[in-house]
Amino acid sequence: MISFLDLQGINAGCRDELLEACCRVIDSGWYIQGHELIAFEQEFAAYCGSRHCIGVANGLDALTLTLRAWKEMGRLREGDEVLVPANTYIASILAITENRLVPVLVEPDEHSYNLCPEKARAALTGRTRAILAVHLYGQLADMPALSALADTHNLLLLEDAAQAHGASIDGCKAGSWGDAAGFSFYPGKNLGALGDAGAITTDDDELANILRALRNYGSHEKYRNLYQGVNSRLDEMQAALLRVKLRYLDVQTALRREHARKYLEGIRHPDVQLPHLVREDQHVWHLFVVRSGQRAALQRHLTEHGVQTLIHYPVPPHQQPAYAGWGACSFPLTERIHDEVLSLPMGPHLSADQVDTVIRVTNAF
Ligand SMILES: *Cc1c(COP(=O)(O)O)cnc(C)c1O
């Protein structure tokens, strides 16, 4: 079986360094908010080209706490509208509704699956205060156009960069385009911890300062609480492991790009639509997502021939029971995408032979 992802295999490649990092933390006797966190924050901020990185417990908290901090700063208020792509992973929407802000779902661009600047412009109302751009499947959204739209209308721009560590346009990486960005280091992400972890990047000193308090009970200083914060810290063990993994990220991204290039050149089938690549640097191939009107049959064919696939995602947020309260709403393009997408094996664990096999089996469908 060619596995969709092989975390054991990926982490085996740096096992000795991971063990050394674990031992360093164990022996330090300091497990929360210490040197490893500070060092990882500096290294990841430098990697993204941002002034600040604030480690938190996971990617959902990175998004939720950023919106929360903007409320504390008076830049957002309950009931304000946030534009967000309708086909995103539900975490983007949860971050908005958790803050009692109103998600305004926008149909994506048909080719990139990312927020479409023209459709976003058409969705603006007098209550729009922010845009949440998601770099879905690892491809940066059209950030030049979305930044211009945000500037013109005085909107906050938040990136959901959970799938796009290292993707760039004109040398500017994910995490450096918006007013802030939320990252996830969930184990299966391109930069994955060995447990839950997340971070925010931003150039805004005040925002960074408030986020550092919010993640730690609302306190900058022990026993003095400026905000009704939460406990969402990135612990020393995960920070130390992430420092190791960060050193491998660019090499692993290069492998993902190599596999994607072969898929794009090799897969030729009338019922399989390939992803659309604008610029090489813009995509880090968290997922390689094809589309097919015959998805169920294609998935069955691949499984029968030893190729594991997954669906990202089978049900769009507006059709989830969690949001039944929104009543009937319809996003035909989003619904069609959810009915047709299929993710092929992708990751640094794949060998060239395995990629060739996936291509051969797909073409034989
Ligand atoms: C993974 C993911 C998140 C949430 O990250 P967690 O660390 O799992 O909380 C948010 N948005 C997107 C697009 C994701 O893929």
Side-chain angles (χ1 to χ4, degrees):
M1 191 73 168
I2 298 178
S3 53
F4 181 77
L5 186 63
D6 174 9
L7 291 177
Q8 195 184 1
I10 291 170
N11 290 328
C14 50
R15 189 168 185 277
D16 289 346
E17 286 164 84
L18 292 173
L19 280 175
E20 189 199 307
C22 285
C23 292
R24 199 169 64 228
V25 173
I26 292 168
D27 294 344
S28 75
W30 192 281
Y31 305 118
I32 301 272
Q33 308 249 80
H35 296 303
E36 299 291 343
L37 175 65
I38 292 169
F40 174 69
E41 289 179 337
Q42 286 170 350
E43 288 159 13
F44 194 65
Y47 180 83
C48 295
S50 295
R51 278 167 59 81
H52 303 281
C53 168
I54 302 96
V56 292
N58 55 66
L60 173 58
D61 282 1
L63 298 170
T64 307
L65 291 176
T66 303
L67 294 170
R68 169 76 194 282
W70 280 331
K71 285 169 71 186
E72 296 290 349
M73 292 163 77
R75 301 190 67 180
L76 290 176
R77 282 188 218 167
E78 274 187 26
D80 284 349
E81 292 178 0
V82 181
L83 304 183
V84 62
N87 61 319
T88 185
Y89 180 55
I90 197 163
S92 324
I93 315 276
L94 292 171
I96 297 170
T97 54
E98 169 69 20
N99 278 290
R100 299 182 182 281
L101 300 164
V102 178
V104 174
L105 305 185
V106 180
E107 289 266 46
D109 174 77
E110 162 100 59
H111 302 290
S112 69
Y113 308 126
N114 279 330
L115 192 58
C116 169
E118 287 73 41
K119 292 176 194 169
R121 187 192 316 277
L124 291 171
T125 73
R127 305 215 60 174
T128 314
R129 293 287 174 272
I131 300 174
L132 206 179
V134 184
H135 309 315
L136 203 66
Y137 307 147
Q139 178 158 239
L140 266 193
D142 185 350
M143 295 312 286
L146 291 170
S147 301
L149 181 67
D151 282 349
T152 309
H153 298 276
N154 197 20
L155 307 172
L156 291 162
L157 179 57
L158 175 58
E159 298 171 65
D160 181 340
Q163 303 186 355
H165 320 74
S168 68
I169 295 178
D170 297 335
C172 295
K173 288 204 177 105
S176 72
W177 283 93
D179 295 291
F183 285 88
S184 165
F185 309 118
Y186 177 81
K189 299 290 159 81
N190 288 28
L191 176 58
L194 279 72
D196 272 314
I200 301 115
T201 56
T202 182
D203 285 342
D204 183 333
D205 299 346
E206 187 189 0
L207 176 66
N209 205 19
I210 294 176
L211 283 166
R212 288 184 202 285
L214 284 178
R215 71 172 173 190
N216 189 38
Y217 317 119
S219 160
H220 293 97
E221 207 184 305
K222 217 168 186 183
Y223 307 127
R224 197 175 126 75
N225 300 74
L226 290 181
Y227 311 101
Q228 296 172 29
V230 299
N231 177 347
S232 179
R233 298 176 299 222
L234 171 53
D235 63 69
E236 289 289 284
M237 192 64 91
Q238 295 304 335
L241 295 168
L242 282 166
R243 292 180 68 196
V244 174
K245 300 286 299 278
L246 179 58
R247 298 201 286 271
Y248 287 82
L249 179 59
D250 284 344
V251 172
Q252 295 184 340
T253 299
L255 283 171
R256 289 174 185 272
R257 285 187 174 139
E258 178 67 23
H259 299 332
R261 195 183 50 74
K262 288 182 78 175
Y263 279 156
L264 288 172
E265 284 170 5
I267 296 175
R268 292 280 175 274
H269 193 289
D271 287 324
V272 179
Q273 190 185 322
L274 291 166
H276 190 79
L277 178 64
V278 184
R279 278 166 287 204
E280 175 101 351
D281 290 349
Q282 195 168 340
H283 212 320
V284 291
W285 302 103
H286 173 58
L287 298 169
F288 191 94
V289 178
V290 299
R291 260 169 84 181
S292 176
Q294 321 278 331
R295 179 178 65 190
L298 175 61
Q299 185 170 36
R300 209 173 323 109
H301 167 83
L302 288 163
T303 308
E304 280 165 7
H305 292 82
V307 177
Q308 188 189 11
T309 58
L310 293 176
I311 294 170
H312 298 89
Y313 298 91
V315 181
H318 70 277
Q319 293 182 330
Q320 294 287 353
Y323 291 121
W326 290 346
C329 47
S330 137
F331 297 92
L333 175 55
T334 293
E335 288 155 28
R336 184 147 45 81
I337 290 170
H338 282 73
D339 286 342
E340 296 184 353
V341 286
L342 187 67
S343 306
L344 301 183
M346 172 51 81
H349 66 291
L350 294 173
S351 68
D353 280 355
Q354 288 178 316
V355 172
D356 288 339
T357 303
V358 176
I359 293 170
R360 190 168 35 75
V361 171
T362 306
N363 288 344
F365 171 54

